[in-house]
Amino acid sequence: MSQPLYPPPASPASASASREAVTALVLGILGVVCCPFTAPVAWYLGQNELRAIRDGRALAAGEGMAMAGKILGMIGTALLGLVLILGLLWALFFGGMAALQGLTNR
């Protein structure tokens, strides 16, 4: 048997996710785990990347990462809002209680 004249075709290179999709995912994870101020940024970047994929301006390979970043950004933003509201209520309640106690001890 003779050797083939042409080399076998190379497998197509797998498309990698865009930088924005990876950034959205990383910021989403950070927003949920330790730094909630990055969560709204992850939500924004994930939404923009999904829009770019839908419009054909970005590769579809990053769709999963962009969606995960967007969802984690939404969760992190909700947690951030909850923490801010609870902190505000705590400050108002205990600050108000301290002010009332200061008035009664005169």
Coordinates of all heavy atoms in Angstrom, one line a residue:
M1 N 0.8 -1.2 0.0 CA 0.0 0.0 0.0 C 0.9 1.2 0.0 O 1.9 1.3 0.7 CB -0.9 0.0 1.2 CG -2.1 0.8 1.0 SD -3.2 0.7 2.4 CE -4.4 -0.4 1.7
S2 N 0.5 2.2 -0.7 CA 1.3 3.5 -0.8 C 0.8 4.5 0.2 O -0.3 4.5 0.7 CB 1.2 4.0 -2.3 OG -0.1 4.4 -2.5
Q3 N 1.7 5.4 0.4 CA 1.5 6.6 1.3 C 0.5 7.5 0.6 O 0.6 7.7 -0.6 CB 2.8 7.3 1.6 CG 3.7 6.5 2.5 CD 3.2 6.4 3.9 OE1 2.4 7.2 4.4 NE2 3.7 5.4 4.6
P4 N -0.4 8.2 1.3 CA -1.3 9.1 0.7 C -0.5 10.4 0.3 O 0.5 10.7 0.9 CB -2.3 9.5 1.8 CG -1.7 9.0 3.1 CD -0.8 7.9 2.7
L5 N -0.9 11.0 -0.8 CA -0.2 12.2 -1.3 C -0.4 13.4 -0.4 O 0.4 14.3 -0.4 CB -0.6 12.4 -2.7 CG -0.3 11.3 -3.7 CD1 -0.8 11.7 -5.1 CD2 1.2 11.1 -3.8
Y6 N -1.6 13.5 0.2 CA -1.9 14.7 1.0 C -2.1 14.3 2.5 O -2.5 13.2 2.8 CB -3.2 15.3 0.5 CG -3.2 15.6 -1.0 CD1 -3.8 14.9 -1.9 CD2 -2.5 16.8 -1.4 CE1 -3.8 15.2 -3.2 CE2 -2.5 17.1 -2.7 CZ -3.1 16.3 -3.6 OH -3.1 16.7 -4.9
P7 N -1.6 15.2 3.3 CA -1.8 14.9 4.8 C -3.3 14.9 5.1 O -4.1 15.6 4.4 CB -1.1 16.0 5.5 CG -1.0 17.1 4.5 CD -1.0 16.5 3.1
P8 N -3.7 14.2 6.2 CA -5.1 14.3 6.5 C -5.5 15.7 7.0 O -4.7 16.5 7.5 CB -5.2 13.3 7.7 CG -3.8 13.2 8.2 CD -2.9 13.5 7.1
P9 N -6.8 16.0 6.7 CA -7.2 17.4 7.1 C -7.1 17.6 8.6 O -7.4 16.7 9.4 CB -8.6 17.5 6.6 CG -9.1 16.1 6.4 CD -7.8 15.2 6.2
A10 N -6.7 18.8 8.9 CA -6.6 19.1 10.4 C -8.0 19.4 10.9 O -8.9 19.9 10.2 CB -5.7 20.4 10.6
S11 N -8.2 19.0 12.2 CA -9.5 19.3 12.8 C -9.6 20.8 13.0 O -8.6 21.5 13.2 CB -9.6 18.6 14.1 OG -8.6 19.1 15.0
P12 N -10.8 21.3 12.8 CA -11.0 22.8 12.9 C -10.7 23.2 14.4 O -11.0 22.5 15.3 CB -12.5 23.0 12.6 CG -13.1 21.7 12.7 CD -12.0 20.6 12.5
A13 N -10.0 24.4 14.4 CA -9.7 24.9 15.8 C -10.9 25.3 16.5 O -11.9 25.8 15.9 CB -8.8 26.1 15.6
S14 N -11.0 24.9 17.8 CA -12.2 25.3 18.5 C -12.1 26.8 18.8 O -11.1 27.3 19.2 CB -12.2 24.5 19.8 OG -11.1 24.8 20.6
A15 N -13.3 27.4 18.7 CA -13.4 28.8 18.9 C -13.4 29.0 20.4 O -14.0 28.3 21.2 CB -14.7 29.3 18.3
S16 N -12.7 30.0 20.9 CA -12.6 30.3 22.3 C -13.6 31.5 22.6 O -13.9 32.2 21.7 CB -11.2 30.7 22.7 OG -10.8 31.8 22.0
A17 N -13.9 31.6 23.9 CA -14.8 32.6 24.3 C -14.1 33.9 24.3 O -12.9 34.0 24.4 CB -15.3 32.3 25.7
S18 N -14.9 35.0 24.1 CA -14.3 36.3 24.1 C -13.9 36.8 25.4 O -14.2 36.2 26.5 CB -15.4 37.3 23.5 OG -16.4 37.5 24.5
R19 N -13.1 37.8 25.4 CA -12.5 38.3 26.7 C -13.6 38.9 27.6 O -13.6 38.8 28.8 CB -11.5 39.4 26.3 CG -10.7 39.9 27.5 CD -9.7 40.9 27.1 NE -8.8 40.3 26.1 CZ -8.0 41.0 25.3 NH1 -8.1 42.3 25.2 NH2 -7.2 40.3 24.5
E20 N -14.7 39.5 26.9 CA -15.8 40.1 27.7 C -16.6 39.0 28.4 O -17.0 39.2 29.5 CB -16.7 40.9 26.8 CG -16.1 42.2 26.3 CD -15.1 42.0 25.2 OE1 -15.1 41.0 24.6 OE2 -14.4 43.0 24.9
A21 N -16.8 37.8 27.7 CA -17.5 36.7 28.4 C -16.8 36.2 29.6 O -17.4 35.9 30.6 CB -17.8 35.6 27.4
V22 N -15.5 36.0 29.4 CA -14.7 35.5 30.5 C -14.6 36.5 31.7 O -14.8 36.2 32.9 CB -13.2 35.2 30.1 CG1 -12.3 34.8 31.2 CG2 -13.2 34.1 29.0
T23 N -14.5 37.8 31.3 CA -14.5 38.9 32.4 C -15.9 38.9 33.1 O -15.9 39.1 34.3 CB -14.2 40.2 31.7 OG1 -13.0 40.2 31.0 CG2 -14.2 41.3 32.8
A24 N -17.0 38.8 32.4 CA -18.3 38.7 33.0 C -18.4 37.6 34.0 O -18.9 37.7 35.1 CB -19.4 38.7 32.0
L25 N -17.9 36.4 33.6 CA -18.0 35.3 34.5 C -17.1 35.5 35.7 O -17.6 35.2 36.8 CB -17.5 34.0 33.7 CG -17.6 32.7 34.5 CD1 -19.0 32.4 35.0 CD2 -17.0 31.6 33.7
V26 N -15.9 35.9 35.5 CA -15.0 36.1 36.7 C -15.6 37.2 37.7 O -15.6 37.0 38.9 CB -13.6 36.5 36.2 CG1 -12.7 37.0 37.4 CG2 -12.9 35.4 35.5
L27 N -16.1 38.3 37.1 CA -16.6 39.3 38.0 C -17.9 38.8 38.6 O -18.2 39.2 39.8 CB -16.9 40.6 37.2 CG -15.7 41.4 36.7 CD1 -16.1 42.6 35.9 CD2 -14.8 41.8 37.9
G28 N -18.7 38.0 37.9 CA -19.9 37.4 38.5 C -19.6 36.5 39.7 O -20.3 36.6 40.8
I29 N -18.6 35.7 39.6 CA -18.2 34.8 40.7 C -17.7 35.7 41.8 O -18.0 35.4 43.0 CB -17.1 33.8 40.2 CG1 -17.7 32.8 39.2 CG2 -16.5 33.1 41.4 CD1 -16.7 32.0 38.5
L30 N -16.8 36.7 41.6 CA -16.3 37.5 42.6 C -17.5 38.3 43.3 O -17.5 38.5 44.5 CB -15.3 38.5 42.1 CG -14.0 38.0 41.7 CD1 -13.1 39.1 41.0 CD2 -13.3 37.4 42.9
G31 N -18.5 38.7 42.5 CA -19.6 39.4 43.0 C -20.4 38.6 44.0 O -21.0 39.2 45.0
V32 N -20.6 37.3 43.8 CA -21.3 36.5 44.7 C -20.5 36.0 45.9 O -21.0 36.0 47.0 CB -21.9 35.3 43.9 CG1 -22.5 34.2 44.8 CG2 -22.9 35.7 42.8
V33 N -19.2 35.8 45.6 CA -18.4 35.2 46.7 C -17.9 36.2 47.7 O -18.0 36.1 48.9 CB -17.3 34.4 46.1 CG1 -16.3 33.9 47.1 CG2 -17.8 33.2 45.3
C34 N -17.2 37.3 47.2 CA -16.5 38.2 48.1 C -16.6 39.7 47.9 O -16.4 40.4 48.8 CB -15.0 37.8 48.1 SG -14.2 38.1 46.6
C35 N -16.9 40.1 46.7 CA -16.8 41.5 46.4 C -18.1 41.9 45.6 O -18.1 42.0 44.4 CB -15.6 41.8 45.5 SG -15.3 43.6 45.3
P36 N -19.2 42.2 46.4 CA -20.5 42.4 45.7 C -20.5 43.6 44.8 O -21.4 43.7 44.0 CB -21.4 42.6 46.9 CG -20.6 43.0 48.0 CD -19.2 42.3 47.8
F37 N -19.6 44.6 44.9 CA -19.6 45.7 44.0 C -19.2 45.4 42.6 O -19.4 46.2 41.7 CB -18.7 46.8 44.6 CG -19.2 47.4 45.9 CD1 -18.6 47.1 47.1 CD2 -20.3 48.2 45.9 CE1 -19.1 47.5 48.3 CE2 -20.8 48.6 47.1 CZ -20.2 48.3 48.3
T38 N -18.7 44.2 42.3 CA -18.4 43.8 40.9 C -19.6 43.2 40.2 O -19.5 43.0 39.0 CB -17.2 42.8 40.9 OG1 -17.5 41.6 41.6 CG2 -15.9 43.5 41.5
A39 N -20.6 42.8 41.0 CA -21.7 42.1 40.4 C -22.5 42.9 39.4 O -22.8 42.4 38.3 CB -22.7 41.6 41.5
P40 N -22.8 44.2 39.6 CA -23.5 44.9 38.5 C -22.7 45.1 37.3 O -23.2 45.1 36.2 CB -23.7 46.3 39.2 CG -23.7 46.1 40.6 CD -22.7 45.0 40.8
V41 N -21.3 45.1 37.4 CA -20.5 45.2 36.2 C -20.6 43.9 35.5 O -20.6 43.9 34.2 CB -19.0 45.5 36.6 CG1 -18.1 45.5 35.4 CG2 -19.0 46.8 37.4
A42 N -20.6 42.7 36.2 CA -20.7 41.4 35.5 C -22.0 41.3 34.8 O -22.1 40.8 33.7 CB -20.6 40.3 36.6
W43 N -23.1 41.8 35.4 CA -24.4 41.8 34.8 C -24.4 42.6 33.5 O -24.9 42.1 32.4 CB -25.4 42.4 35.8 CG -26.9 42.3 35.4 CD1 -27.4 41.8 34.2 CD2 -28.0 42.7 36.1 NE1 -28.8 42.0 34.2 CE2 -29.1 42.5 35.4 CE3 -28.1 43.3 37.4 CZ2 -30.4 42.8 35.9 CZ3 -29.4 43.6 37.9 CH2 -30.5 43.4 37.1
Y44 N -23.8 43.8 33.5 CA -23.7 44.7 32.4 C -22.9 44.0 31.3 O -23.3 44.0 30.1 CB -23.1 46.0 32.8 CG -22.9 46.9 31.7 CD1 -23.9 47.7 31.1 CD2 -21.6 47.1 31.2 CE1 -23.7 48.5 30.0 CE2 -21.3 48.0 30.1 CZ -22.4 48.7 29.6 OH -22.2 49.5 28.5
L45 N -21.7 43.5 31.6 CA -20.8 42.9 30.6 C -21.5 41.7 30.0 O -21.4 41.4 28.8 CB -19.5 42.6 31.2 CG -18.5 43.7 31.5 CD1 -17.3 43.2 32.2 CD2 -18.2 44.5 30.2
G46 N -22.1 40.8 30.8 CA -22.7 39.6 30.3 C -23.9 40.0 29.4 O -24.0 39.3 28.3
Q47 N -24.7 41.0 29.7 CA -25.8 41.4 28.8 C -25.3 41.9 27.5 O -25.8 41.6 26.5 CB -26.6 42.4 29.6 CG -27.8 42.9 28.7 CD -28.8 41.8 28.5 OE1 -29.0 40.9 29.3 NE2 -29.4 41.8 27.3
N48 N -24.2 42.7 27.6 CA -23.7 43.3 26.3 C -23.1 42.2 25.4 O -23.2 42.2 24.2 CB -22.6 44.3 26.6 CG -23.2 45.7 27.0 OD1 -24.4 45.9 26.8 ND2 -22.4 46.6 27.5
E49 N -22.4 41.2 26.1 CA -21.8 40.1 25.3 C -22.9 39.3 24.7 O -22.8 38.8 23.5 CB -20.9 39.3 26.2 CG -20.1 38.3 25.4 CD -19.2 38.8 24.3 OE1 -18.8 40.0 24.4 OE2 -18.8 38.1 23.4
L50 N -23.9 39.0 25.4 CA -25.0 38.2 24.8 C -25.7 38.9 23.6 O -26.1 38.3 22.6 CB -26.1 37.9 25.9 CG -25.7 36.8 26.9 CD1 -26.7 36.7 28.0 CD2 -25.5 35.5 26.3
R51 N -25.8 40.3 23.8 CA -26.3 41.1 22.7 C -25.4 41.0 21.5 O -25.9 40.9 20.3 CB -26.6 42.5 23.1 CG -27.3 43.4 22.1 CD -27.6 44.7 22.7 NE -28.5 44.7 23.8 CZ -28.2 45.2 25.0 NH1 -27.1 45.9 25.2 NH2 -29.1 45.1 26.0
A52 N -24.1 41.1 21.7 CA -23.1 41.0 20.6 C -23.2 39.6 19.9 O -23.0 39.5 18.7 CB -21.7 41.3 21.1
I53 N -23.4 38.6 20.7 CA -23.5 37.2 20.1 C -24.7 37.1 19.3 O -24.7 36.6 18.2 CB -23.4 36.2 21.2 CG1 -22.0 36.1 21.9 CG2 -23.8 34.8 20.7 CD1 -21.9 35.3 23.1
R54 N -25.8 37.7 19.8 CA -27.1 37.6 19.1 C -27.0 38.4 17.8 O -27.5 38.0 16.7 CB -28.2 38.1 19.9 CG -29.6 38.0 19.3 CD -30.7 38.6 20.2 NE -30.5 40.1 20.2 CZ -30.5 40.8 21.3 NH1 -30.6 40.2 22.5 NH2 -30.3 42.1 21.3
D55 N -26.3 39.5 17.8 CA -26.2 40.4 16.6 C -25.1 39.9 15.6 O -25.0 40.4 14.5 CB -25.8 41.8 17.0 CG -27.0 42.5 17.7 OD1 -28.1 42.0 17.6 OD2 -26.7 43.5 18.4
G56 N -24.3 38.9 16.0 CA -23.3 38.3 15.2 C -21.9 39.0 15.3 O -21.1 38.8 14.5
R57 N -21.8 39.9 16.2 CA -20.5 40.7 16.4 C -19.5 39.9 17.2 O -18.4 40.3 17.3 CB -20.8 42.0 17.0 CG -21.6 43.0 16.1 CD -21.8 44.3 16.8 NE -22.9 44.2 17.7 CZ -22.8 44.5 19.0 NH1 -21.7 44.9 19.5 NH2 -23.8 44.4 19.8
A58 N -19.9 38.8 17.9 CA -19.0 38.0 18.7 C -19.3 36.5 18.5 O -20.3 36.2 18.0 CB -19.3 38.3 20.2
L59 N -18.3 35.7 18.8 CA -18.4 34.3 18.6 C -19.4 33.7 19.6 O -19.5 34.1 20.8 CB -17.0 33.6 18.8 CG -16.0 34.0 17.8 CD1 -14.6 33.4 18.1 CD2 -16.4 33.6 16.4
A60 N -20.1 32.7 19.1 CA -21.1 32.0 20.0 C -20.5 31.1 21.0 O -21.1 30.6 21.9 CB -22.1 31.2 19.1
A61 N -19.1 30.9 21.0 CA -18.5 30.1 21.9 C -18.5 30.6 23.3 O -18.5 29.9 24.3 CB -17.0 29.9 21.5
G62 N -18.7 31.9 23.5 CA -18.7 32.5 24.8 C -20.1 32.7 25.4 O -20.3 33.4 26.4
E63 N -21.1 32.2 24.7 CA -22.5 32.4 25.2 C -22.7 31.8 26.5 O -23.4 32.5 27.4 CB -23.4 31.8 24.1 CG -24.9 32.1 24.5 CD -25.8 31.6 23.4 OE1 -25.4 30.9 22.5 OE2 -27.0 32.0 23.5
G64 N -22.2 30.7 26.8 CA -22.4 30.1 28.2 C -21.8 30.9 29.3 O -22.4 31.1 30.3
M65 N -20.6 31.3 29.0 CA -19.9 32.1 30.0 C -20.5 33.5 30.2 O -20.7 33.9 31.3 CB -18.4 32.3 29.6 CG -17.6 31.1 29.8 SD -15.9 31.6 29.5 CE -15.1 30.0 29.6
A66 N -21.0 34.1 29.1 CA -21.7 35.4 29.2 C -23.0 35.2 30.0 O -23.3 36.1 30.8 CB -21.9 35.9 27.8
M67 N -23.7 34.1 29.7 CA -25.0 33.9 30.4 C -24.7 33.6 31.9 O -25.4 34.2 32.8 CB -25.7 32.7 29.8 CG -27.1 32.4 30.4 SD -28.3 33.8 30.3 CE -28.7 33.5 28.6
A68 N -23.7 32.8 32.2 CA -23.4 32.6 33.6 C -23.0 33.9 34.3 O -23.4 34.1 35.5 CB -22.3 31.5 33.7
G69 N -22.2 34.7 33.7 CA -21.7 36.0 34.2 C -22.9 36.9 34.5 O -23.0 37.6 35.5
K70 N -23.8 36.9 33.5 CA -25.0 37.7 33.7 C -25.9 37.3 34.9 O -26.3 38.1 35.7 CB -25.8 37.7 32.4 CG -27.1 38.5 32.5 CD -27.9 38.3 31.2 CE -29.3 38.9 31.4 NZ -30.2 38.7 30.2
I71 N -26.1 36.0 35.0 CA -26.9 35.4 36.0 C -26.3 35.6 37.4 O -26.9 36.1 38.4 CB -27.3 34.0 35.8 CG1 -28.2 33.8 34.6 CG2 -27.9 33.3 37.0 CD1 -28.4 32.4 34.1
L72 N -25.0 35.4 37.5 CA -24.3 35.6 38.7 C -24.2 37.1 39.1 O -24.3 37.4 40.3 CB -22.8 35.0 38.6 CG -22.7 33.5 38.7 CD1 -21.3 33.1 38.4 CD2 -23.2 33.0 40.0
G73 N -24.2 37.9 38.1 CA -24.2 39.4 38.3 C -25.6 39.8 38.9 O -25.6 40.6 39.7
M74 N -26.6 39.2 38.3 CA -28.0 39.5 38.9 C -28.1 39.0 40.3 O -28.6 39.8 41.2 CB -29.0 38.8 38.0 CG -29.2 39.3 36.6 SD -30.2 38.2 35.7 CE -31.3 39.4 34.9
I75 N -27.6 37.8 40.6 CA -27.7 37.3 42.0 C -26.9 38.2 42.9 O -27.3 38.6 44.0 CB -27.2 35.9 42.0 CG1 -28.2 35.0 41.3 CG2 -27.1 35.4 43.5 CD1 -27.8 33.6 41.1
G76 N -25.6 38.5 42.5 CA -24.8 39.4 43.3 C -25.3 40.8 43.5 O -25.2 41.3 44.6
T77 N -26.0 41.3 42.5 CA -26.6 42.6 42.6 C -27.7 42.6 43.6 O -27.9 43.5 44.4 CB -27.1 43.2 41.2 OG1 -25.9 43.2 40.4 CG2 -27.7 44.5 41.4
A78 N -28.5 41.5 43.6 CA -29.6 41.4 44.5 C -29.1 41.3 45.9 O -29.6 41.9 46.9 CB -30.5 40.2 44.2
L79 N -28.0 40.5 46.1 CA -27.4 40.4 47.4 C -26.8 41.7 47.9 O -26.9 42.1 49.1 CB -26.3 39.3 47.4 CG -26.8 37.9 47.3 CD1 -25.5 36.9 47.1 CD2 -27.6 37.4 48.4
L80 N -26.2 42.4 47.0 CA -25.7 43.8 47.3 C -26.8 44.7 47.8 O -26.7 45.4 48.8 CB -24.9 44.4 46.1 CG -24.4 45.8 46.3 CD1 -23.4 45.9 47.3 CD2 -23.9 46.3 44.9
G81 N -27.9 44.7 47.1 CA -29.0 45.5 47.5 C -29.6 45.1 48.8 O -29.9 46.0 49.6
L82 N -29.7 43.8 49.1 CA -30.1 43.3 50.4 C -29.2 43.8 51.5 O -29.7 44.2 52.5 CB -30.3 41.8 50.3 CG -30.8 41.1 51.6 CD1 -32.2 41.5 51.9 CD2 -30.6 39.6 51.5
V83 N -27.9 43.7 51.3 CA -26.9 44.1 52.3 C -27.0 45.6 52.5 O -27.0 46.0 53.7 CB -25.5 43.6 51.9 CG1 -24.5 44.3 52.7 CG2 -25.4 42.1 51.9
L84 N -27.2 46.3 51.5 CA -27.3 47.8 51.6 C -28.5 48.2 52.4 O -28.5 49.1 53.3 CB -27.2 48.5 50.3 CG -25.8 48.5 49.6 CD1 -25.9 49.1 48.2 CD2 -24.8 49.1 50.4
I85 N -29.6 47.5 52.0 CA -30.9 47.9 52.7 C -30.9 47.5 54.2 O -31.3 48.2 55.1 CB -32.1 47.2 52.0 CG1 -32.3 47.9 50.7 CG2 -33.3 47.2 52.9 CD1 -33.3 47.2 49.8
L86 N -30.3 46.3 54.5 CA -30.2 45.8 55.9 C -29.3 46.7 56.6 O -29.5 47.0 57.8 CB -29.8 44.4 55.9 CG -30.9 43.4 55.5 CD1 -30.3 41.9 55.5 CD2 -32.1 43.4 56.3
G87 N -28.2 47.1 56.0 CA -27.2 48.0 56.7 C -27.8 49.4 57.0 O -27.6 49.9 58.1
L88 N -28.6 49.9 56.0 CA -29.3 51.2 56.2 C -30.3 51.1 57.3 O -30.4 52.0 58.2 CB -29.9 51.6 54.9 CG -30.7 53.0 55.0 CD1 -29.7 54.1 55.2 CD2 -31.4 53.2 53.7
L89 N -31.1 50.0 57.3 CA -32.1 49.8 58.4 C -31.4 49.7 59.7 O -31.9 50.2 60.7 CB -33.0 48.6 58.1 CG -34.0 48.8 57.0 CD1 -34.7 47.5 56.7 CD2 -35.0 49.9 57.3
W90 N -30.3 48.9 59.8 CA -29.6 48.7 61.0 C -29.1 50.1 61.5 O -29.2 50.4 62.7 CB -28.5 47.8 60.8 CG -27.7 47.5 62.1 CD1 -28.0 46.6 63.1 CD2 -26.5 48.1 62.5 NE1 -27.1 46.6 64.0 CE2 -26.1 47.5 63.7 CE3 -25.7 49.1 62.0 CZ2 -25.0 47.9 64.4 CZ3 -24.5 49.5 62.7 CH2 -24.2 48.9 63.9
A91 N -28.5 50.9 60.6 CA -28.0 52.2 61.1 C -29.1 53.1 61.5 O -28.9 53.8 62.5 CB -27.2 52.8 59.9
L92 N -30.2 53.1 60.8 CA -31.3 54.0 61.2 C -31.9 53.5 62.5 O -32.2 54.4 63.4 CB -32.3 54.0 60.1 CG -31.9 54.8 58.8 CD1 -33.0 54.6 57.8 CD2 -31.6 56.2 59.1
F93 N -32.1 52.2 62.7 CA -32.8 51.7 63.9 C -31.9 52.0 65.1 O -32.3 52.6 66.1 CB -33.1 50.3 63.7 CG -33.7 49.7 64.9 CD1 -35.0 50.0 65.3 CD2 -33.0 48.8 65.8 CE1 -35.6 49.5 66.4 CE2 -33.6 48.3 66.9 CZ -34.9 48.6 67.2
F94 N -30.6 51.5 65.0 CA -29.8 51.6 66.2 C -29.3 53.0 66.3 O -29.0 53.5 67.4 CB -28.6 50.6 66.1 CG -29.0 49.2 66.4 CD1 -29.1 48.2 65.4 CD2 -29.5 48.8 67.6 CE1 -29.5 47.0 65.6 CE2 -29.9 47.6 67.9 CZ -29.9 46.6 66.9
G95 N -29.1 53.7 65.2 CA -28.8 55.2 65.4 C -29.9 55.9 66.0 O -29.7 56.8 66.9
G96 N -31.1 55.6 65.6 CA -32.3 56.3 66.2 C -32.5 55.9 67.7 O -32.8 56.7 68.5
M97 N -32.2 54.6 68.0 CA -32.3 54.2 69.4 C -31.2 54.9 70.2 O -31.5 55.3 71.3 CB -32.1 52.7 69.5 CG -33.2 51.9 68.8 SD -34.8 52.2 69.5 CE -34.7 51.3 71.0
A98 N -30.0 55.1 69.7 CA -29.0 55.7 70.4 C -29.3 57.2 70.6 O -29.1 57.8 71.7 CB -27.7 55.6 69.7
A99 N -29.9 57.8 69.6 CA -30.3 59.2 69.8 C -31.4 59.4 70.8 O -31.4 60.3 71.6 CB -30.8 59.8 68.4
L100 N -32.4 58.4 70.8 CA -33.5 58.5 71.8 C -32.9 58.2 73.2 O -33.3 58.9 74.2 CB -34.5 57.4 71.5 CG -35.4 57.8 70.3 CD1 -36.4 56.6 70.0 CD2 -36.2 59.0 70.6
Q101 N -32.0 57.3 73.3 CA -31.4 57.1 74.6 C -30.6 58.3 75.1 O -30.6 58.6 76.3 CB -30.4 55.9 74.5 CG -29.9 55.5 75.9 CD -28.9 54.3 75.8 OE1 -28.6 53.9 74.7 NE2 -28.6 53.7 76.9
G102 N -29.9 59.0 74.2 CA -29.2 60.2 74.6 C -30.2 61.3 75.1 O -29.9 62.0 76.0
L103 N -31.4 61.4 74.5 CA -32.3 62.3 74.9 C -33.0 62.0 76.2 O -33.3 62.9 77.0 CB -33.4 62.5 73.8 CG -33.0 63.1 72.5 CD1 -34.2 63.1 71.5 CD2 -32.6 64.6 72.8
T104 N -33.1 60.7 76.5 CA -33.8 60.3 77.8 C -32.9 60.4 79.0 O -33.3 60.4 80.1 CB -34.4 58.9 77.7 OG1 -33.4 58.0 77.3 CG2 -35.5 58.9 76.6
N105 N -31.6 60.4 78.7 CA -30.6 60.4 79.8 C -30.2 61.8 80.2 O -29.2 61.9 81.0 CB -29.4 59.5 79.5 CG -29.7 58.1 79.5 OD1 -30.6 57.6 80.1 ND2 -28.9 57.3 78.8
R106 N -30.8 62.7 79.8 CA -30.5 64.1 80.2 C -30.8 64.5 81.5 O -31.6 64.2 82.3 CB -31.1 65.1 79.2 CG -30.4 65.0 77.9 CD -31.0 66.1 77.0 NE -30.0 66.5 76.1 CZ -30.1 67.5 75.3 NH1 -31.2 68.2 75.3 NH2 -29.1 67.8 74.5

